[in-house]
Amino acid sequence: MPERAAVPAAPDVRQVGRETCLALLTDMLRVRRLEERCAQLYGEQKIRGFLHLAIGEEAVAAGVMPHLRADDNVVATYREHGHALLRGVSMNAIMAEMYGRVEGCSRGRGGSMHLFDRATRFYGGNAIVGGGLALAAGLALADRLAPRPGVVTACFFGEGAVAEGAFHEAMNLAALWQLPVLFVCENNLYAMGTALSRSQSRIDLTAKAAAYGMPSANVNGMNVLAVHDAAGQAVAQVRERSQPLFLELHTYRFRAHSMFDPELYRERAEVEEWKKQDPIPRLAAELRARGAFDDAAEARLEADVAQEIADAVAFAEVGTLEPVEDLLRFVTSERTPR
Amino acid sequence: MPERAAVPAAPDVRQVGRETCLALLTDMLRVRRLEERCAQLYGEQKIRGFLHLAIGEEAVAAGVMPHLRADDNVVATYREHGHALLRGVSMNAIMAEMYGRVEGCSRGRGGSMHLFDRATRFYGGNAIVGGGLALAAGLALADRLAPRPGVVTACFFGEGAVAEGAFHEAMNLAALWQLPVLFVCENNLYAMGTALSRSQSRIDLTAKAAAYGMPSANVNGMNVLAVHDAAGQAVAQVRERSQPLFLELHTYRFRAHSMFDPELYRERAEVEEWKKQDPIPRLAAELRARGAFDDAAEARLEADVAQEIADAVAFAEVGTLEPVEDLLRFVTSERTPR
Amino acid sequence: MSARRQSYREALREALREALARDERVFLMGEDVGRYGGTYAVSKGLLEEFGPERIRDTPLSESAFVGAGVGAALADMRPIVEIMTVNFSLLALDQILNGAATLLHMSGGQFHVPLVIRMATGAGRQLAAQHSHSLEGWYAHIPGLRVIAPATVADARGMLWTALEDPDPVLLFEHTGLFAVEDELPDDAGAVDLDRAALRRTGRDLTIVCYGGCLPKSLAAAEALAAQGVEAEVVDLRTLRPLDDETILESVARTHRALVVDEGWRSGSLSAEVAARIQERIFFELDAPVARVCSAEVPIPYARHLELAALPQPESIAAAGLALVGARG
Amino acid sequence: MSARRQSYREALREALREALARDERVFLMGEDVGRYGGTYAVSKGLLEEFGPERIRDTPLSESAFVGAGVGAALADMRPIVEIMTVNFSLLALDQILNGAATLLHMSGGQFHVPLVIRMATGAGRQLAAQHSHSLEGWYAHIPGLRVIAPATVADARGMLWTALEDPDPVLLFEHTGLFAVEDELPDDAGAVDLDRAALRRTGRDLTIVCYGGCLPKSLAAAEALAAQGVEAEVVDLRTLRPLDDETILESVARTHRALVVDEGWRSGSLSAEVAARIQERIFFELDAPVARVCSAEVPIPYARHLELAALPQPESIAAAGLALVGARG
Ligand SMILES: Cc1ncc(C[n+]2csc(CCOP(=O)(O)OP(=O)(O)O)c2C)c(N)n1
Ligand SMILES: Cc1ncc(C[n+]2csc(CCOP(=O)(O)OP(=O)(O)O)c2C)c(N)n1
Ligand SMILES: [Mg+2]
Ligand SMILES: [Mg+2]
């Protein structure tokens, strides 16, 4: 990828292949339905604390994750249910986490914002905007020093993070030391209620990457095939050259920032306009147009996903609460395993 | 000034005018001789703590300060003796400060790194790298809100500060809000022992300004006429358009970083090479070539400067020590003046 | 004199509105204070009333906008900076400690920093480890700052005024557990005296010293103790720096027993300073060691039952009070 | 067993060298640790010996390189991060508190952070307000961290080893006033037990509790007191979190009087926690209130006489010790 590549033309279903497209559709739908259910469960007070949904933005995680290997690392934000799920964390463990159960992927200590999983090298779930970028650089540095050539660290963050000093420092460090990090900026145009244009003097975020001499690309984050294609090239480049790369994915969140947000800062019409680009029906329609998807397939898919979710909820419902006597566990490491 | 102007050709003595050139020479010499004396006094333990000399870099402060008005603001770093002096803080007050006397410009509380002066709107003297940039943005914001149209805040900092998150945040804020700040980056190639190329993935620092959509220029910081010319245009532009501007001044420090630095990180030859560009003899020679300066003038100038320094030392020597009982003064404001 | 029922949140908003109306130099800046209406809806409506220059949304740049607040204060504005929560204030700590708190002294008394920084604080809403800090006590360690923590609707209404009159930087901590608390407030409620702690309940058997979000819990504990015949006096510190030693000591000298309640992690919390001072100053008045109820020393866990167990609760406060009056002496 | 005279600085350097030689996963990174040779010359020569990948100069990006240290530790390296001085650590505090200290807990025990962060600390060299902080006590407030402060050459030599064996983040504070201190050190000096405070002097009349840069001052004060017939026991905390209550309490239970010395600003310093604990645990053993000698609550001034007056000194410690043994009881 050249320095600051132009928006590439997205490939179509035929170019990508039916199987892959169906897998992408399935992935996005699993995230969508999971999060819809989370919203419900929040209303029922089964899930508490902050809950941030990525509904509308599923193409990002869906398009990037398939390119990562088991030995790659992932760092995400508080809006990370989809990232965790598509990285391979089980829905059961995710749901149990939001229920605050021991069976949760962070034993119920972390909640929605702090999903962690050692097995899939999923390094969280960070609730400090910009907090994950330096961490990602460090993971990549360890891969360099170990050495583990070819390992990639994918670091997801919102466009709001670009204003943080932490972004600047980590981008420079990664570029200076040529660390194999894929920086994935999920530009959904808002940081809570703050539009990008009220947050950045220059809203073309790839210009920041250029200031560090880091290659970058702009991608339509509402088209999962475009994301999949660009991410494939990007991951390959990071892997081969062992150097960082910045992807700006243009996307949009259909729901409120969190469950407390009255959405005073944007027009309903703007949201509706973006909903027309919903990546799930878009891909479904393309597949249908090619005869690769139909009502029956859709019903089957929805049923499968519904079943997975129902199972996860059932799993979480019967999960265990950590005994209160264990409150102080995991503050420091346990030297003799219990 | 356009976005990222090329290095402009420096004007010569004739274009700038004899009076101005002599004033610039005088200014640089006052700073040079003052700092040489400071180094001596440090050896004699009259001055303590950290002492950072800008010997070699005098063209920066000398070229910028004449363009500032009394109602403009100045923010500087710990390497700021020259900035304070040329902003108009008296040499007496500066010297007394380094002696830790009540007559010092910070009553002896601040020392070399923390020269302050309300009368000349000299806002310090900051020993945290990058710490002054946001402060400068705030001063400019106050001028915007007051409003005091046409007031400029000049903010000086080293190239090392560019790696700090604080730089990024303040640059973006100033550009976003179009605050009248002149950011003056003193690129002397080293931050302590760290060469710029080991600190920045991309060493063209005006590229950072471009990432914020901020106009910028590259200037030869060893030629005071070039600095004076570029700074004049820059200050005028900030003043008229009420928008920030970034100046990168290429300069070099001839001495160690501080009085503790064994200078392991650079070759003696490199230093000698740069000394050939010493801005003081350079301007003196140009003036001589035009017949505007000669041995007699030089002797007079040196004598005047020596006198000013001798007076300042004498002033500091007989200065008062703050009574120890007053240790806790100035932690909070005194409500009833004492 | 008429009175109205108001929430802590509304009281904060009215105090802001009044400050903005009263003094042209006052402006509010922070993340999402404007268009979003404030994360906790404190500043809701103010953008419409005062416009975007004075209700200023900032980028996510805690260090820069706090530093800009310091700079604007140096130039004689009266900025009110909102850091969304104390959790993010760490990113601005250098500007607070090495800037706001220090400039007056470093400049030998020349440059005042009349800056007010508001932030939400506290745990209790299952926001987990990174969003549940109580670091007021930390800030109370810094010379040059005043640190205040309104625990009542009246203080929420009045403290901002007093803070804005302070020529030095003031940190104002709003506990998220209090925003919805309501109380009667006289129509002419105004500035409050920040120099004195407040006796919120009188009692003869022990003194409970607390502040902020722990006040309602301490009062509830005092009621529970009363039902068991133990009368607790409750002191609300209000200002965490400088501490009002006199009020604390006067009370403890009467009750001879002190219990300090603090939502900070126990070790090194403000409670330690209060305890150290009490024993330093009136050791021989004490019938028992100064006791403390604080947060457990654990990053606050998400799960509800664990979070509840990690924080001071009326039950644990009452139990400590009972143990204290039972103690030898 | 032979011994060599070594400075605190050399001991730190040898400890680093040994750690780098012993474990391939160990690397050192920070500002000017390499080509400059370390601001305080601690790492001088290591670049030549171990190369630039393992002695890694960083840009001035405290947040990023500390965060990178956390990340590398997560991936099973053993990074030693040098923050030049505690003064700049504020810029990395978010990564320390919300990252290093918290990840193990937030992840339910999955992700360990075996990271060592070294920093110089302390005042006393006329570096003025922004370069003279003593914030160890602050860090000792944070659950999930171990905080250590070598006060002797042997501890400078041994603590790094022990710290590197800790699976959790350790903050190591090196007082700038100690770098030049010399002592005999056995050739085979090695790891030290970090879990216990050390009795540096025994005495029957009072216990002085101190750490880091205040140890030599406290020992000097003890000598001065001895000349007046007062025998002070001196406890060096060594580890500031977790505190070794046992050693402190055992000593004070014997001497019945305690004086805590701390270079932090008095209010909210670690001394408060130590005092609070002593009176909590052995109140009825105390013949007098726990006393404290700390830094004055002022940004450290540049002028020498003012700086000296602001910090604990042997004279002020001895005077407080005398007052304490003279106190009623
Ligand atoms: C350092 C910091 N400042 C503020 C917040 C509060 N906050 C949480 S999410 C958020 C918006 C972040 O926006 P963006 O990075 O664009 O991600 P998005 O929520 O749009 O996915 C803010 C301000 C925070 N968590 N961390
Ligand atoms: C935040 C911070 N980190 C580290 C230091 C220590 N330090 C003091 S000066 C300096 C070098 C700064 O270099 P530069 O900005 O280029 O300015 P110069 O000294 O070259 O004028 C460093 C690292 C500091 N003062 N502040
Ligand atoms: Mg966003
Ligand atoms: Mg430099």
Side-chain angles (χ1 to χ4, degrees):
Chain A
M1 227 165 254
E3 204 171 292
R4 301 181 67 197
V7 183
D12 63 20
V13 164
R14 199 170 33 89
Q15 290 165 304
V16 176
R18 189 195 135 114
E19 285 313 305
T20 303
C21 289
L22 282 171
L24 292 170
L25 184 68
T26 304
D27 280 352
M28 291 195 291
L29 200 76
R30 286 171 72 218
V31 175
R32 173 73 53 95
R33 297 289 179 253
L34 168 64
E35 292 210 313
E36 286 168 349
R37 187 62 191 272
C38 287
Q40 252 179 30
L41 291 166
Y42 197 87
E44 296 166 25
Q45 306 203 14
K46 298 284 188 177
I47 299 176
R48 310 289 297 262
F50 280 158
L51 180 72
H52 305 88
L53 305 177
I55 289 177
E57 306 181 20
E58 294 87 349
V60 173
V64 175
M65 291 300 173
H67 302 293
L68 299 181
R69 302 190 315 214
D71 58 351
D72 290 337
N73 308 306
V74 179
V75 175
T77 70
Y78 47 85
R79 198 183 299 286
E80 90 287 32
H81 310 137
H83 304 73
L85 185 70
L86 301 187
R87 177 56 183 166
V89 184
S90 80
M91 201 183 282
N92 282 1
I94 293 170
M95 190 58 82
E97 185 58 32
M98 294 199 249
Y99 267 68
R101 308 297 194 196
V102 171
E103 293 78 5
C105 57
S106 306
R107 287 185 74 96
R109 305 253 170 183
S112 156
M113 301 199 289
H114 302 300
L115 305 177
F116 282 89
D117 185 48
R118 174 170 273 282
T120 58
R121 308 185 75 81
F122 190 79
Y123 288 92
N126 198 314
I128 302 298
V129 172
L133 283 89
L135 216 74
L139 289 164
L141 176 61
D143 289 328
R144 150 79 48 81
L145 293 175
R148 290 180 283 267
V151 171
V152 170
T153 296
C155 177
F156 296 84
F157 54 96
E159 90 295 338
V162 172
E164 292 282 0
F167 167 86
H168 173 72
E169 294 191 7
M171 288 285 286
N172 179 49
L173 204 70
L176 180 70
W177 291 351
Q178 293 286 288
L179 302 175
V181 180
L182 177 66
F183 290 100
V184 185
C185 180
E186 308 178 322
N187 181 356
N188 63 6
L189 291 177
Y190 291 92
M192 289 187 57
T194 301
L196 180 57
S197 58
R198 296 191 203 284
S199 162
Q200 286 295 324
S201 56
R202 181 162 176 191
I203 62 171
D204 168 11
L205 302 180
T206 57
K208 320 289 174 195
Y212 309 107
M214 192 188 294
S216 66
N218 257 296
V219 183
N220 178 356
M222 301 305 276
N223 179 342
V224 73
L225 301 187
V227 176
H228 186 260
D229 183 50
Q233 294 177 45
V235 169
Q237 179 166 328
V238 173
R239 209 183 285 299
E240 280 153 30
R241 302 196 196 159
S242 184
Q243 63 173 33
L245 193 149
F246 180 85
L247 275 188
E248 181 180 354
L249 302 183
H250 298 272
T251 181
Y252 199 81
R253 81 173 139 68
F254 295 166
R255 298 279 183 110
H257 165 73
S258 72
M259 308 309 282
F260 297 105
D261 167 12
E263 292 185 75
L264 305 173
Y265 49 83
R266 62 182 185 185
E267 299 294 332
R268 204 61 232 159
E270 178 185 299
V271 182
E272 293 310 319
E273 199 50 40
W274 276 91
K275 280 192 178 167
K276 293 184 190 152
Q277 295 191 52
D278 189 329
I280 298 178
R282 175 183 191 148
L283 179 57
E286 283 192 49
L287 282 164
R288 277 176 196 269
R290 303 242 170 224
F293 197 57
D294 58 16
D295 287 356
E298 181 170 355
R300 267 197 312 279
L301 177 55
E302 289 281 10
D304 287 352
V305 171
Q307 188 60 51
E308 188 184 11
I309 293 169
D311 289 349
V313 172
F315 178 81
E317 283 282 349
V318 301
T320 324
L321 292 182
E322 184 112 41
V324 170
E325 309 79 69
D326 284 354
L327 173 63
L328 297 184
R329 283 187 70 185
F330 314 124
V331 178
T332 53
S333 299
E334 288 163 13
R335 314 231 172 170
T336 44
R338 320 170 24 125
Chain B
M1 224 163 253
E3 201 170 296
R4 304 180 66 195
V7 184
D12 63 22
V13 164
R14 198 173 31 89
Q15 291 166 303
V16 175
R18 191 195 133 114
E19 287 312 305
T20 303
C21 289
L22 282 172
L24 291 170
L25 184 67
T26 305
D27 281 349
M28 291 195 292
L29 200 76
R30 288 172 71 220
V31 176
R32 174 71 55 93
R33 298 290 179 252
L34 168 64
E35 292 210 314
E36 286 167 350
R37 187 62 191 274
C38 287
Q40 254 178 29
L41 291 166
Y42 197 88
E44 296 166 24
Q45 304 205 15
K46 298 283 189 180
I47 298 178
R48 309 290 297 261
F50 281 158
L51 180 72
H52 305 89
L53 305 178
I55 289 177
E57 308 181 19
E58 293 89 347
V60 172
V64 174
M65 291 300 174
H67 302 293
L68 299 181
R69 303 189 315 213
D71 58 349
D72 290 336
N73 308 306
V74 178
V75 175
T77 70
Y78 46 86
R79 198 183 298 286
E80 90 289 32
H81 310 138
H83 304 73
L85 184 71
L86 301 187
R87 176 57 183 167
V89 184
S90 80
M91 202 183 281
N92 283 1
I94 292 171
M95 190 58 84
E97 185 58 33
M98 294 199 248
Y99 267 69
R101 307 298 194 198
V102 171
E103 293 79 5
C105 57
S106 308
R107 288 185 75 97
R109 305 254 170 182
S112 158
M113 302 199 289
H114 302 299
L115 306 178
F116 282 88
D117 185 48
R118 173 170 276 280
T120 58
R121 308 185 75 81
F122 191 78
Y123 288 92
N126 198 314
I128 302 298
V129 171
L133 283 89
L135 217 73
L139 289 165
L141 176 60
D143 288 328
R144 150 78 49 79
L145 293 174
R148 291 181 282 268
V151 171
V152 170
T153 296
C155 177
F156 296 84
F157 54 96
E159 90 295 339
V162 173
E164 292 283 359
F167 167 85
H168 172 72
E169 293 190 8
M171 288 285 286
N172 179 48
L173 204 70
L176 179 69
W177 291 351
Q178 292 286 287
L179 301 174
V181 181
L182 178 65
F183 290 100
V184 184
C185 180
E186 308 178 322
N187 182 357
N188 64 5
L189 292 176
Y190 292 91
M192 289 186 57
T194 301
L196 180 58
S197 58
R198 296 190 203 285
S199 163
Q200 285 296 324
S201 55
R202 181 161 176 190
I203 62 171
D204 168 10
L205 302 180
T206 57
K208 321 288 175 196
Y212 310 107
M214 192 187 294
S216 65
N218 257 295
V219 182
N220 179 356
M222 301 305 278
N223 180 342
V224 72
L225 300 187
V227 176
H228 186 261
D229 183 51
Q233 294 177 46
V235 169
Q237 179 166 328
V238 173
R239 210 183 286 298
E240 279 153 31
R241 302 197 196 158
S242 184
Q243 62 173 35
L245 195 149
F246 181 86
L247 276 188
E248 181 179 354
L249 302 183
H250 299 272
T251 181
Y252 198 81
R253 79 173 142 69
F254 296 165
R255 299 278 183 111
H257 165 75
S258 72
M259 308 309 283
F260 297 106
D261 167 13
E263 293 187 73
L264 305 174
Y265 49 84
R266 62 183 186 183
E267 300 294 331
R268 204 61 231 158
E270 178 185 299
V271 182
E272 293 309 319
E273 200 50 41
W274 275 91
K275 280 191 179 168
K276 295 183 188 152
Q277 295 191 52
D278 190 330
I280 298 178
R282 174 183 193 148
L283 178 58
E286 284 190 49
L287 283 163
R288 278 175 194 269
R290 304 242 167 223
F293 197 59
D294 58 17
D295 287 354
E298 180 170 353
R300 268 198 312 278
L301 177 56
E302 290 280 9
D304 287 352
V305 171
Q307 189 59 50
E308 187 184 11
I309 292 170
D311 289 348
V313 172
F315 178 81
E317 285 282 350
V318 301
T320 324
L321 292 181
E322 185 112 43
V324 170
E325 309 79 70
D326 284 354
L327 173 62
L328 298 184
R329 281 187 72 186
F330 314 123
V331 178
T332 53
S333 299
E334 287 162 14
R335 314 230 173 169
T336 45
R338 318 167 27 123
Chain C
M1 192 168 60
S2 81
R4 283 163 309 148
R5 223 177 154 68
Q6 237 186 3
S7 70
Y8 184 93
R9 171 183 290 112
E10 287 159 352
L12 289 166
R13 186 184 308 138
E14 274 207 12
L16 285 170
R17 180 180 290 123
E18 181 185 61
L20 287 154
R22 191 177 60 231
D23 187 343
E24 286 263 290
R25 299 171 305 172
V26 171
F27 65 101
L28 174 69
M29 82 177 146
E31 292 163 9
D32 288 312
V33 295
R35 284 160 193 84
Y36 191 91
T39 309
Y40 297 99
V42 169
S43 52
K44 196 162 163 184
L46 297 182
L47 172 67
E48 292 68 24
E49 201 169 335
F50 297 99
E53 288 281 294
R54 297 184 70 201
I55 306 295
R56 194 167 268 272
D57 281 324
T58 66
L60 272 74
S61 306
E62 285 81 3
S63 168
F65 68 76
V66 170
V70 176
L74 283 171
D76 208 35
M77 296 297 289
R78 291 291 179 278
I80 303 173
V81 171
E82 176 178 316
I83 302 179
M84 195 180 282
T85 75
V86 67
N87 311 290
F88 318 137
S89 74
L90 301 178
L91 298 166
L93 189 50
D94 173 66
Q95 288 292 342
I96 298 173
L97 171 46
N98 284 318
T102 313
L103 281 160
L104 179 69
H105 186 262
M106 287 196 305
S107 68
Q110 290 177 88
F111 288 113
H112 303 259
V113 184
L115 168 68
V116 175
I117 303 179
R118 299 170 44 233
M119 35 188 148
T121 188
R125 308 190 315 138
Q126 288 191 252
L127 303 185
Q130 295 181 330
H131 272 53
S132 300
H133 295 303
S134 293
L135 299 172
E136 306 83 72
W138 254 19
Y139 284 103
H141 178 55
I142 306 177
L145 299 182
R146 180 185 281 274
V147 179
I148 59 181
T152 65
V153 175
D155 276 356
R157 182 70 178 78
M159 279 189 172
L160 185 69
W161 183 310
T162 328
L164 283 168
E165 282 174 352
D166 199 310
D168 302 316
V170 179
L171 269 48
L172 196 161
F173 287 92
E174 303 163 5
H175 196 286
T176 54
L178 297 175
F179 283 123
V181 170
E182 296 196 348
D183 203 353
E184 297 290 321
L185 202 66
D187 276 339
D188 66 345
V192 295
D193 176 10
L194 284 180
D195 292 330
R196 306 302 307 222
L199 271 192
R200 300 295 185 195
R201 186 183 197 285
T202 54
R204 60 172 188 271
D205 298 324
L206 80 154
T207 301
I208 301 179
V209 181
C210 62
Y211 67 90
C214 283
L215 175 62
K217 293 176 176 183
S218 298
L219 288 171
E223 289 308 309
L225 286 169
Q228 298 182 260
V230 174
E231 287 301 330
E233 186 142 310
V234 177
V235 174
D236 170 8
L237 290 173
R238 304 174 73 239
T239 290
L240 313 187
R241 181 181 188 92
L243 285 171
D244 172 14
D245 290 341
E246 259 174 77
T247 301
I248 301 168
L249 299 175
E250 188 276 328
S251 170
V252 179
R254 270 189 289 104
T255 62
H256 307 292
R257 287 178 162 84
L259 171 65
V260 192
V261 181
D262 191 334
E263 199 180 300
W265 291 306
R266 182 185 185 96
S267 291
S269 63
L270 188 68
S271 72
E273 179 62 29
V274 174
R277 288 190 187 197
I278 292 172
Q279 65 88 37
E280 261 161 15
R281 299 280 298 277
I282 53 169
F283 184 76
F284 297 102
E285 295 288 350
L286 290 174
D287 284 346
V290 181
R292 297 188 281 165
V293 175
C294 304
S295 283
E297 311 220 17
V298 57
I300 305 298
Y302 164 70
R304 183 167 168 72
H305 66 298
L306 295 179
E307 182 182 44
L308 286 171
L311 305 176
Q313 301 296 352
E315 298 71 30
S316 53
I317 300 169
L322 264 192
L324 188 59
V325 292
R328 168 156 74 116
Chain D
M1 195 167 53
S2 79
R4 284 162 309 149
R5 222 175 155 70
Q6 236 187 3
S7 70
Y8 183 94
R9 172 184 288 112
E10 287 159 353
L12 288 167
R13 187 185 306 137
E14 275 208 10
L16 284 171
R17 179 180 292 123
E18 180 185 62
L20 286 155
R22 191 177 59 230
D23 188 342
E24 287 264 290
R25 299 171 305 172
V26 171
F27 65 101
L28 174 68
M29 82 177 145
E31 292 162 8
D32 288 311
V33 295
R35 285 161 192 84
Y36 191 92
T39 310
Y40 297 98
V42 169
S43 53
K44 196 163 164 182
L46 298 181
L47 173 68
E48 292 68 24
E49 202 170 334
F50 297 99
E53 287 281 294
R54 297 185 69 200
I55 306 295
R56 194 167 269 271
D57 280 324
T58 65
L60 272 73
S61 306
E62 286 81 2
S63 168
F65 69 74
V66 170
V70 176
L74 283 171
D76 208 34
M77 297 298 288
R78 290 292 179 276
I80 302 174
V81 171
E82 175 177 315
I83 302 179
M84 194 180 282
T85 75
V86 67
N87 310 291
F88 318 137
S89 74
L90 301 178
L91 297 166
L93 189 50
D94 174 66
Q95 288 292 342
I96 298 173
L97 172 47
N98 284 318
T102 312
L103 281 159
L104 178 69
H105 186 263
M106 287 196 304
S107 68
Q110 290 177 87
F111 288 113
H112 304 259
V113 183
L115 168 69
V116 175
I117 303 179
R118 298 170 44 235
M119 35 188 149
T121 188
R125 308 188 317 137
Q126 287 190 253
L127 303 185
Q130 295 181 329
H131 273 53
S132 301
H133 295 303
S134 293
L135 298 173
E136 307 83 72
W138 255 19
Y139 283 103
H141 178 55
I142 306 177
L145 300 181
R146 179 184 283 272
V147 178
I148 60 182
T152 65
V153 175
D155 276 356
R157 182 70 178 77
M159 278 189 172
L160 185 69
W161 183 310
T162 328
L164 282 168
E165 282 174 351
D166 200 309
D168 302 315
V170 178
L171 270 48
L172 196 159
F173 287 91
E174 303 163 5
H175 197 285
T176 55
L178 297 174
F179 283 124
V181 169
E182 296 196 348
D183 204 352
E184 297 289 322
L185 202 66
D187 275 339
D188 65 345
V192 295
D193 176 10
L194 284 179
D195 292 330
R196 307 301 308 221
L199 271 191
R200 300 293 184 196
R201 185 184 197 284
T202 53
R204 59 170 189 273
D205 297 323
L206 79 156
T207 301
I208 301 180
V209 181
C210 63
Y211 67 91
C214 283
L215 175 61
K217 293 177 177 183
S218 297
L219 288 170
E223 288 309 310
L225 286 168
Q228 298 184 258
V230 174
E231 288 301 331
E233 185 141 312
V234 177
V235 174
D236 170 7
L237 290 173
R238 304 173 75 238
T239 291
L240 312 188
R241 182 181 187 93
L243 286 170
D244 173 14
D245 290 340
E246 258 174 77
T247 302
I248 303 168
L249 299 176
E250 189 275 327
S251 170
V252 179
R254 269 189 290 103
T255 63
H256 307 291
R257 285 177 165 82
L259 171 65
V260 192
V261 181
D262 190 336
E263 198 180 299
W265 291 306
R266 182 185 184 95
S267 292
S269 63
L270 188 67
S271 73
E273 180 62 29
V274 174
R277 287 190 187 197
I278 293 172
Q279 65 88 37
E280 261 161 15
R281 299 279 299 275
I282 53 169
F283 184 77
F284 297 102
E285 296 287 350
L286 289 174
D287 285 345
V290 182
R292 299 188 278 165
V293 174
C294 305
S295 283
E297 312 221 15
V298 57
I300 304 299
Y302 164 70
R304 183 168 168 72
H305 65 298
L306 294 179
E307 182 182 45
L308 285 171
L311 304 176
Q313 302 296 353
E315 298 70 31
S316 53
I317 300 168
L322 264 193
L324 188 60
V325 293
R328 164 158 75 116

